[in-house]
């Protein structure tokens, strides 16, 4: 192979840069171009299998060794009306030969399975991008359904793009003639034809997808082989058709990853594995009491597969029963978890308050989505922070932990379990739909690298009365952590009262004494305030004079990727800006006040109307400036970079 190289050198997450041109090895008369990154979006009806198509392309890309980030986007309806804009489902994948942070701002390639998919996504596609369209669907009725008065493939409206018209449905049906399928059955494989075409176009491995298809349809071998045949037909079409004269290579991201074993992982899967690992490290059974709710249900589905690790899952009749069962399991000595989204947290709030009063370890996993009420079930938001902080009656403080990437959900689950077990308290784990459904490479840790979370249960009396009698006091606290003892029901001599009425300090007896209530309220707050969390780290590169930035951008949760990508762009443009990101939101890191005081300006991007900024202003009296978005979609790096530049120059 010989190569001639031309490149542009803007290192900015989300931009297509560093293109190299190479001749040969692309098939008969084909050209191969080497790129350093690509953003692909598959789009079609919710029944067209776009999520499966994107997931398979992602899996092969991960096995090839690229860094990647994904953004699934699908309707809330189980089956929205076919061919309509509300029914469009899409899957965006950004993959590269170096470290990346986001699914990308705009696709370089759009695969549109019908007119609705084209119309819903064309606004995001930059000029010069490639569009692959299924021409079989561009007939009068489907086009009229989404408002196309003329055929966009023929009226010149797409002249700014490189359009590849492909009769995907016809080609798929033709390829599957030998299988004796009905037209409708054969049409279902057109997503595999598209996947094969894109796999050829970007030199993706194929063995894994063929193996997956045969396993998925093992009970229907004819359907399995039909899908494999459609997949291969798509590959061969790319290889032979004159319309695709160029294919592309994106080399593995060897420099982006430390040595280790990696796999592609979504946020919900990483969180599930983190919970299992935490239970194993604590030497406790894991109990999940849950009610299905988007986008948290995948955690229930995944944990139900792992009974061999001592995991018990209970699908309750409603949200209240789910957390009630989980709290009962905590009382019984399990690492107890309940999973939900914002509407479910509202229903669980009274039992969370009970857990605060009982001072038992309980993980409340909130996979945030757009609200209020039912809101946007399949879209993302960060708007439950104040609910997690204050959404209970009375003074009921609960620690809050928030992961920053899909892979970080594993570590955040371990951290939340550490806090719950050490301090005997319910803990909020705030993920969101963007993290839950998105994926990225994850370095599988060695078991000896995981924290030791083992706890000591109470086994006997812990207090001596004035007359010398030894008794068990359920609210006698550890002087360091202020945690009360954890006594397993049925342990002789350790019987004690539980319930929501205020307890007397030490004895745990019911108490209406004003002074005791004041003491218990302040003690529970002091316990949360005293939780050991690491200092927040600041990325503030000094210039050649040694002077740091005067503006700090501070984020939390899933804004990490877009913020970091935007900061890279700002610095690439020659401006100075510092960055910090919070995992612990209650309590805040001990050095946060000092960090905020260092900077003239503090910018807080959030997918809400400024909830963290409100907390920072109240706690530290700093003029934290909000940059907010509540569209149901994550920030775009370029738009955020422009907002940060404006803030610096303001």
């Amino acid at each position: 192979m010989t190569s001639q190289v031309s490149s542009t050198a803007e290192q900015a997450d989300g931009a297509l840069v560093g293109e190299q041109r190479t001749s040969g090895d692309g098939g008969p008369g084909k050209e191969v171009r080497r790129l350093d990154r690509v953003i692909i979006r598959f789009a079609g009806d919710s029944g067209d299998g776009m999520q499966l198509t994107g997931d398979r392309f992602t899996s092969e890309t991960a096995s090839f060794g690229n860094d990647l980030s994904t953004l699934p986007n699908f309707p809330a309806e189980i089956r929205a009306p076919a061919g309509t804009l509300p029914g469009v489902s899409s899957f965006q994948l950004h993959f590269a030969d170096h470290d990346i942070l986001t699914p990308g701002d705009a696709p370089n390639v759009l695969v549109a399975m019908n007119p609705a998919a084209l119309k819903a996504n064309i606004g995001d596609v930059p000029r010069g991008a490639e569009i692959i369209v299924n021409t079989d669907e561009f007939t009068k009725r489907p086009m009229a359904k989404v408002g196309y008065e003329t055929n966009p493939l023929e009226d010149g409206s797409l002249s700014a793009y490189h359009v590849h018209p492909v009769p995907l449905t016809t080609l798929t049906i033709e390829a599957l003639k030998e299988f004796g399928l009905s037209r409708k059955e054969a049409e279902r494989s057109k997503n595999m034809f598209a996947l094969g075409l894109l796999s050829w176009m970007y030199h993706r491995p194929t063995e894994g997808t063929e193996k997956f298809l045969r396993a998925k349809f093992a009970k229907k071998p004819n359907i399995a082989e039909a899908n494999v045949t459609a997949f291969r037909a798509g590959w061969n079409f790319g290889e032979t058709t004159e319309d695709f004269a160029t294919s592309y290579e994106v080399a593995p991201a060897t420099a982006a990853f430390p040595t280790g074993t990696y796999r592609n992982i979504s946020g919900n899967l990483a969180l599930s594995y983190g919970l299992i690992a935490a239970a194993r490290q604590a030497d406790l059974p894991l109990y999940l009491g849950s009610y299905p709710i988007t986008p948290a249900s995948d955690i229930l589905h995944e944990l139900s597969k792992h009974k061999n690790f001592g995991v018990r899952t209970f699908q309750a009749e409603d949200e209240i029963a789910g957390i009630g069962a989980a709290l009962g399991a905590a009382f019984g000595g399990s690492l107890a978890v309940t999973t939900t989204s914002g509407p479910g947290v509202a229903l669980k709030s009274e039992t969370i308050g009970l857990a605060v009063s009982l001072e038992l370890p309980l993980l409340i996993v909130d996979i945030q989505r757009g609200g209020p009420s039912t809101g946007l079930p399949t879209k993302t938001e960060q708007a439950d922070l104040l609910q997690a902080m204050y959404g209970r009656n009375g003074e009921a403080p609960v620690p809050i932990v928030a992961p920053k990437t899909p892979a970080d959900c594993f570590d955040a689950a371990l951290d939340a379990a550490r806090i719950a077990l050490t301090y005997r308290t319910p803990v909020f784990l705030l993920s969101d739909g963007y993290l839950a459904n998105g994926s990225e490479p994850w370095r599988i840790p060695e078991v000896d690298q995981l924290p030791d979370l083992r706890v000591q249960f109470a086994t006997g009396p812990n207090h001596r009365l004035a007359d010398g009698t030894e008794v068990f006091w359920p609210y006698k606290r550890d002087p360091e952590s202020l945690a009360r003892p954890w006594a397993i029901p049925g342990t002789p001599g350790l019987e004690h009262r539980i319930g929501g009425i205020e307890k007397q300090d030490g004895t745990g007896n019911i108490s209406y004494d004003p002074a005791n209530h004041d003491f218990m309220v302040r003690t529970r707050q002091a316990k949360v305030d005293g939780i050991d969390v690491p200092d927040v780290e600041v990325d503030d590169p000094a210039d050649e004079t040694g002077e740091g930035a005067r503006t700090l951008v501070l984020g939390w949760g899933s804004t990490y990727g877009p913020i970091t990508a935007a900061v890279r762009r700002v610095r690439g443009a020659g401006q100075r800006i510092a960055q910090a990101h919070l995992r612990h939101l209650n309590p805040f890191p001990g050095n946060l006040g000092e960090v905020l005081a260092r900077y003239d300006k503090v910018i807080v991007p959030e997918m809400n109307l400024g909830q963290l900024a409100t907390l920072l202003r109240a706690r530290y009296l700093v003029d934290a400036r909000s940059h907010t978005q509540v569209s149901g979609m994550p920030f775009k790096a370029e738009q955020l970079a422009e907002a940060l530049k404006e803030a610096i120059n303001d």
Side-chain angles (χ1 to χ4, degrees), residues 157-388:
S157 60
L158 300 178
S159 60
Y161 311 98
H162 298 296
V163 179
H164 301 277
V166 181
L168 287 172
T169 305
T170 299
L171 290 171
T172 303
I173 292 172
E174 182 67 24
L176 302 184
K177 273 186 175 180
E178 63 182 277
F179 291 92
L181 301 174
S182 68
R183 179 182 177 87
K184 186 175 182 180
E185 288 174 327
E187 281 184 10
R188 289 174 182 163
S189 297
K190 64 181 181 287
N191 63 324
M192 288 299 104
F193 189 101
L195 178 60
L197 173 57
L198 269 293
S199 297
W200 169 84
M201 194 171 174
Y202 289 97
H203 295 253
R204 298 296 92 185
T206 60
E207 295 82 2
T209 293
E210 293 189 11
K211 182 178 179 181
F212 167 83
L213 290 171
R214 290 191 173 102
K216 179 177 177 64
F217 298 106
K219 295 181 179 179
K220 298 179 179 179
N222 195 47
I223 298 296
E225 291 308 313
N227 277 282
V228 170
T229 299
F231 176 67
R232 290 177 176 174
W235 177 284
N236 293 333
F237 179 78
E239 183 85 358
T240 57
T241 183
E242 294 181 2
D243 191 39
F244 290 89
T246 304
S247 64
Y248 304 91
E249 287 184 346
V250 180
T254 51
F257 302 121
T259 302
T261 303
Y262 288 81
R263 61 156 294 165
N264 183 52
I265 200 164
S266 69
N268 273 352
L269 184 57
L271 201 153
S272 300
Y273 287 173
L275 293 173
I276 295 170
R280 300 291 285 184
Q281 292 301 105
D283 196 22
L284 296 175
L286 178 64
Y287 184 93
L288 174 67
S290 183
Y291 180 76
I293 184 171
T294 302
S297 299
D298 285 343
I299 302 171
L300 171 60
H301 301 158
E302 182 61 33
L303 290 181
S304 68
K305 302 174 184 177
H306 297 287
K307 298 181 179 68
N308 57 314
F309 287 118
V311 179
R312 293 185 180 181
T313 53
F314 170 54
Q315 180 176 319
E317 64 270 28
D318 56 39
E319 295 281 5
I320 298 171
I323 190 173
L327 185 57
F331 180 58
S334 294
L335 176 58
V337 185
T338 189
T339 52
T340 190
S341 191
V345 173
L347 292 167
K348 295 177 188 292
S349 62
E350 184 177 8
T351 307
I352 297 171
L354 176 60
V356 171
S357 176
L358 297 182
E359 301 189 46
L360 287 170
L362 174 67
L363 300 185
I364 305 111
V365 178
D366 178 5
I367 313 297
Q368 301 166 95
R369 72 190 203 190
S373 188
T374 308
L376 306 174
T378 61
K379 310 301 180 185
T380 194
E381 210 164 86
Q382 287 182 296
D384 294 351
L385 177 56
L386 294 183
Q387 181 185 34

Side-chain angles (χ1 to χ4, degrees), residues 7 72 138 148 194 217 262 276 290 347 425 475 585:
S7 66
F138 280 75
Y148 279 129
F217 298 106
Y262 288 81
I276 295 170
S290 183
L347 292 167
T425 178
Y475 281 83
L585 297 155

Side-chain angles (χ1 to χ4, degrees), residues 131 173 286 296 308 394 423 485 505 515 561 582:
I131 301 176
I173 292 172
L286 178 64
N308 57 314
Y423 297 90
D505 177 45
L582 296 175

Side-chain angles (χ1 to χ4, degrees), residues 106-178:
N108 311 120
V109 181
L110 171 66
V111 180
M113 304 297 281
N114 60 17
L118 178 65
K119 187 155 192 175
N121 291 280
I122 191 65
D124 293 335
V125 182
R127 296 171 65 89
E130 296 193 73
I131 301 176
I132 301 171
V133 291
N134 179 15
T135 55
D136 288 326
E137 291 294 323
F138 280 75
T139 57
K140 188 173 182 179
R141 185 177 179 185
M143 288 191 295
K145 193 178 289 188
V146 295
Y148 279 129
E149 296 181 0
T150 60
N151 190 334
L153 306 182
E154 300 172 352
D155 62 11
S157 60
L158 300 178
S159 60
Y161 311 98
H162 298 296
V163 179
H164 301 277
V166 181
L168 287 172
T169 305
T170 299
L171 290 171
T172 303
I173 292 172
E174 182 67 24
L176 302 184
K177 273 186 175 180
E178 63 182 277

